[in-house]
Amino acid sequence: MSPSFRSVLVVNRPSLIGAAVILTLSAVLLTATGTWLEAGFRGDELPFLVTVASSFAGTLVMITVLIVASVLSEALRPRLREFALLRAVGATAAQIRARVTGEALVLVLIAGPIGAVIGLFVAPLMSPLLVSSGVAPEGFLPSQSPLSVIGTLLVLVPTGVLAARMTARGILRVSPTAAVRESTVEPTALSRRRLITAAALAITGVLTATTPFFAPGTIGAATGASSALLLVVAAALAGPALVRRAAIRGAAMTGSNAGAGRILAFSNARGFSRRLSAVVIPFALLVALGSVQSGVTIAITTATANQLREGVQTDLIVQSSSGITPAQATAIAALPGVTAIATTRHLPATVRTNPPDEDLPALDGLNWEPTSILLITPAKPLFDPKVQSGSLQDLAATGTIAVSEEALLFTGKGVGDMVDVRLAGQKAAASTIVAVYERGLGFGDYIVGSTDSASGGATSDAVFVDSILNSENRTQQAVIGLGLAVTDRNGYARSATQDTGGEQQLSLVLLLALLGFVAAAAANTLAASIRSRRDELGLLMRLGATRTQVMGMIALETIFIVATALIIGLLAVLPALTGVGQGVLGAPLPVFNLPVLSGLVLSTTLITILTTFPAALHATSTMASQRR
C-alpha cells in the first residue's frame, strides 16, 4: 500500500472505521451462506440445505449490494470538498477516479478477507440449528473451502468499485467551483435518469406484488413479497425528493409560530435531504424487511392451520411424541365403537421439477426439489385435501401419487401424467398422478397411499379415528388408556404448525441476522452523518443558537427520521402483504405480525436515539465549553 493511501486511511479513519465494520459483517454473512450452499451441492443428501441457503443467499446479496454501496458512498461523501480542491489545483478526472476507486478497493480488500475468515468459523456454529430444523443430517459439519471466500469477494469488490465510480461521477460531472459549493450546500434536483429509474422500479414492484392474485399459494406469495425490496430500492433512488417533500409538509404543518428548534430541524431536512435520505432508507429497509418476512410467515402458518381444520373429517386424532407403532394402531382399530382409522406419516423425498439436461448431466441434481411426501393408509383417509380432479381412492395402486395444484403450477401436468419421485434411500421412480387437490399447505404437495418405505414396522405421525361412541368420550378414554394422547381437529392444527418449530427457529435466526446487519448499517450511517455535522452545529452556536435550541433541533430531526422511515418502510410492504393476504388467505388485506412490527418500531426509535443524542451532546458540549 502506498504512503498516500496509508495517510488517507489514517486521517479519515473516523468515517472509514464504520464502513469497514459493515463490510466485515457483510463478508461474514456472505461467506457463511456460501459455505452452507457449497456443502449442499457437494452432498446429495442435503437438498433442503441447498434450498434454504439459496433462498437466503438471494435476499442477502440484494441487501448487501444496497447497503455496502450506500455505506461506501456515505464514507466518501464528507470528502467531496477535498476532491473538489484537488481538481481545482490541477488533478485530472482520471486521477480523481483512480483515487476514489483505489480507496474503496483498499477498504474492501482489508475488511472483506477478515470477515470472510470469520465467516468460515461461523458457518459450523450453525450446524446444530441446521440439524434440529431438519435441513441437515446428524453430524453435519460444513468444510472450510476457499470457494465461499472467493464468492464473497466477487460480490463485495464489484459493489465497492461501482459505489466508488458513482461517487467519482458525481464529483466529476460539475466544475471544481460547483463541487466545492455542493460540499456545503446540497443540490436540490435529482437527475432525470435517476427519477425514471426510481419510477420504473416502483411500477415493477407494484406489479410484482399482484402476482398472488394470479398465482395463489406460497409461490405467488414469495414472488409478491419480493416487491418490497424493489420498492425500497425505488425509495432509495428517489429518497432525497421524498425527504424534501416530507420536510416541506412538516414545516407547513408546524405553522409560522414554530419555535427555533422546529424551524431549524425542518430547514435542515429540506436543505440536506440527500444526507438525511441516506439515514432514512436503511431504517426503512429494516422495517420493510422485518415486516414482509414476518407477515409471510404468519400468513402461511394461519393458512396451514385453517386448511387442516377444514380438511380433517374427525374430531378424534391420536398422536404420540415417539410416534405410533403398527401394534398401537391395530389396538386403536380394535377398540369398541371404532368404525375406521387412517394413519399418516411424512417421508423425506425429492421430486424432479425439470427434465434432465443431456448436455450437462453433472447439473442434474439442480432439477430435483426437496420435499416431504404424506403417506396415508388406507388410501381413503379421514380427511379431505379438497380434491379437484381424480380420486384419492386410486392411491391404493402401487406407483400412484396425488399432487397439489400449486406443485403442478406452470408444469402443464394433471391426472394421468407422470412425476419422478426419489424417496430417501431409494432410486428414482415414476409415479402416475391420480388426483389433484387444493389444500397443499395443510396436507403437503404430495400424497401417496403405498410405498415400500411403509414396511418394516415404521411408526405413524398420527392416527385419525372415526367412532360411533366418540360423542360419549368412551373411545377417547380408551385411547388414553393405551398411553396415547388424543386431540381434536383444532388441537391437531395447532400441533401440526408447531411441529415446524425447528424450521421456524432457523428462519428466525436468519431473519435476525439480516435485521442486525441492516440495523448496524443504519446506525453507522446515522453516526457518520452526525460526525460530519460538527462544523454545522458549531456555526449555529456561534451565530447565537443556544445548546437547548440545537438539541431541540436534533430531537425533532430524530422524530422526523423515525417517522419518515416508518412511513416509507410500511408503504413499501403494503402492496406485498396485501398480495400475500390474497394468495395465501384468500382475502386482499395486508397481513402484519403486530408484535414483530411493534418491535421494529421500537428498535428503529431506540437505535436512532442512542446513536444521535450521544454524538450531538458531545459536539454541542465542546462548542459550549469553547464559548465559555
Side-chain angles (χ1 to χ4, degrees):
M1 187 187 303
S2 66
S4 62
F5 273 125
R6 283 199 298 269
S7 63
V8 166
L9 294 177
V10 172
V11 172
N12 297 283
R13 63 182 181 275
S15 61
L16 296 180
I17 287 177
V21 170
I22 301 305
L23 283 168
T24 303
L25 289 176
S26 64
V28 171
L29 291 176
L30 287 169
T31 304
T33 306
T35 301
W36 302 329
L37 194 59
E38 182 191 2
F41 282 124
R42 285 178 179 269
D44 294 334
E45 73 283 1
L46 298 171
F48 283 104
L49 180 59
V50 173
T51 301
V52 172
S54 299
S55 176
F56 183 70
T59 303
L60 176 61
V61 169
M62 290 181 63
I63 292 174
T64 297
V65 171
L66 178 63
I67 291 296
V68 169
S70 175
V71 166
L72 287 176
S73 297
E74 288 306 306
L76 294 170
R77 183 183 295 274
R79 301 178 56 207
L80 294 181
R81 183 181 182 87
E82 171 191 334
F83 293 129
L85 291 175
L86 287 175
R87 289 187 63 199
V89 297
T92 65
Q95 290 173 328
I96 295 295
R97 192 179 295 111
R99 166 65 67 175
V100 174
T101 304
E103 291 179 13
L105 273 177
V106 167
L107 195 61
V108 170
L109 293 177
I110 291 177
I114 294 175
V117 172
I118 297 174
L120 289 176
F121 290 96
V122 168
L125 299 179
M126 289 285 291
S127 295
L129 182 58
L130 295 174
V131 172
S132 65
S133 62
V135 302
E138 289 289 342
F140 168 75
L141 192 66
S143 60
Q144 295 181 346
S145 170
L147 292 179
S148 57
V149 177
I150 295 173
T152 297
L153 295 179
L154 287 177
V155 173
L156 293 182
V157 171
T159 302
V161 172
L162 178 62
R165 290 285 182 173
M166 292 180 65
T167 303
R169 180 176 178 272
I171 298 171
L172 297 173
R173 68 183 178 182
V174 296
S175 65
T177 304
V180 173
R181 183 175 63 252
E182 288 184 7
S183 66
T184 54
V185 180
E186 292 183 351
T188 58
L190 297 178
S191 67
R192 182 180 180 86
R193 183 181 302 176
R194 181 169 177 171
L195 291 176
I196 292 175
T197 304
L201 285 174
I203 294 172
T204 303
V206 173
L207 292 178
T208 303
T210 63
T211 303
F213 288 86
F214 308 100
T218 55
I219 295 178
T223 304
S226 65
S227 69
L229 288 178
L230 293 175
L231 290 175
V232 170
V233 175
L237 292 173
L242 297 176
V243 170
R244 180 177 174 80
R245 181 172 293 275
I248 293 174
R249 184 65 58 87
M253 292 175 61
T254 58
S256 57
N257 296 324
R262 279 180 286 180
I263 293 176
L264 288 173
F266 287 116
S267 297
N268 176 72
R270 185 173 64 250
F272 293 91
S273 57
R274 291 175 182 265
R275 180 179 65 192
L276 206 58
S277 68
V279 176
V280 168
I281 295 304
F283 284 113
L285 177 61
L286 175 68
V287 174
L289 183 63
S291 297
V292 75
Q293 293 285 353
S294 60
V296 170
T297 299
I298 196 172
I300 291 177
T301 302
T302 302
T304 300
N306 290 341
Q307 290 187 10
L308 287 173
R309 278 191 292 265
E310 296 168 358
V312 173
Q313 303 296 305
T314 177
D315 273 326
L316 187 60
I317 299 101
V318 184
Q319 294 178 295
S320 173
S321 59
S322 59
I324 301 171
T325 64
Q328 289 173 322
T330 301
I332 294 172
L335 292 175
V338 173
T339 57
I341 69 166
T343 64
T344 61
R345 181 157 62 96
H346 288 85
L347 306 173
T350 54
V351 176
R352 183 184 290 278
T353 55
N354 295 303
D357 191 339
E358 297 180 356
D359 297 328
L360 297 171
L363 300 180
D364 185 58
L366 300 177
N367 298 322
W368 293 82
E369 178 181 292
T371 187
S372 178
I373 293 180
L374 182 65
L375 169 66
I376 59 172
T377 53
K380 184 178 181 180
L382 294 175
F383 55 79
D384 176 22
K386 203 171 184 180
V387 175
Q388 300 299 306
S389 59
S391 173
L392 293 183
Q393 296 184 16
D394 295 334
L395 289 175
T398 303
T400 57
I401 192 170
V403 186
S404 71
E405 288 181 326
E406 183 176 350
L408 294 177
L409 197 64
F410 306 124
T411 65
K413 293 184 178 181
V415 174
D417 293 317
M418 307 297 291
V419 174
D420 290 336
V421 178
R422 184 168 58 197
L423 296 175
Q426 296 187 18
K427 294 182 179 180
S431 299
T432 304
I433 301 174
V434 296
V436 178
Y437 55 92
E438 181 179 323
R439 293 172 176 150
L441 282 176
F443 300 98
D445 285 329
Y446 302 94
I447 300 176
V448 295
S450 63
T451 173
D452 294 339
S453 296
S455 60
T459 60
S460 301
D461 298 330
V463 176
F464 298 83
V465 181
D466 187 23
S467 172
I468 60 176
L469 302 178
N470 193 38
S471 60
E472 303 173 10
N473 284 334
R474 291 170 57 185
T475 304
Q476 180 175 341
Q477 295 302 321
V479 172
I480 294 175
L482 295 175
L484 300 172
V486 180
T487 186
D488 57 11
R489 67 184 71 187
N490 291 324
Y492 176 69
R494 285 193 300 271
S495 65
T497 51
Q498 291 171 356
D499 283 345
T500 59
E503 297 178 10
Q504 292 180 357
Q505 186 179 8
L506 176 60
S507 299
L508 178 61
V509 170
L510 295 179
L511 175 60
L512 289 177
L514 277 179
L515 294 180
F517 172 56
V518 175
N524 170 75
T525 304
L526 183 56
S529 175
I530 294 295
R531 284 196 302 267
S532 66
R533 296 176 60 189
R534 287 187 178 182
D535 292 342
E536 173 192 333
L537 298 179
L539 178 60
L540 286 174
M541 296 186 69
R542 283 193 293 270
L543 291 175
T546 64
R547 188 183 185 191
T548 301
Q549 291 174 329
V550 173
M551 290 306 300
M553 177 192 74
I554 296 296
L556 286 173
E557 286 183 5
T558 301
I559 297 173
F560 179 80
I561 289 171
V562 173
T564 307
L566 291 177
I567 292 173
I568 292 176
L570 292 177
L571 287 178
V573 301
L574 194 60
L577 293 183
T578 301
V580 169
Q582 171 64 34
V584 178
L585 299 176
L589 297 173
V591 184
F592 285 100
N593 188 325
L594 295 182
V596 172
L597 180 59
S598 301
L600 292 171
V601 173
L602 181 61
S603 299
T604 301
T605 304
L606 288 178
I607 292 172
T608 307
I609 292 174
L610 296 178
T611 304
T612 302
F613 278 86
L617 285 172
H618 180 266
T620 54
S621 62
T622 302
M623 293 305 304
S625 62
Q626 291 177 357
R627 290 174 63 177
R628 289 194 294 269

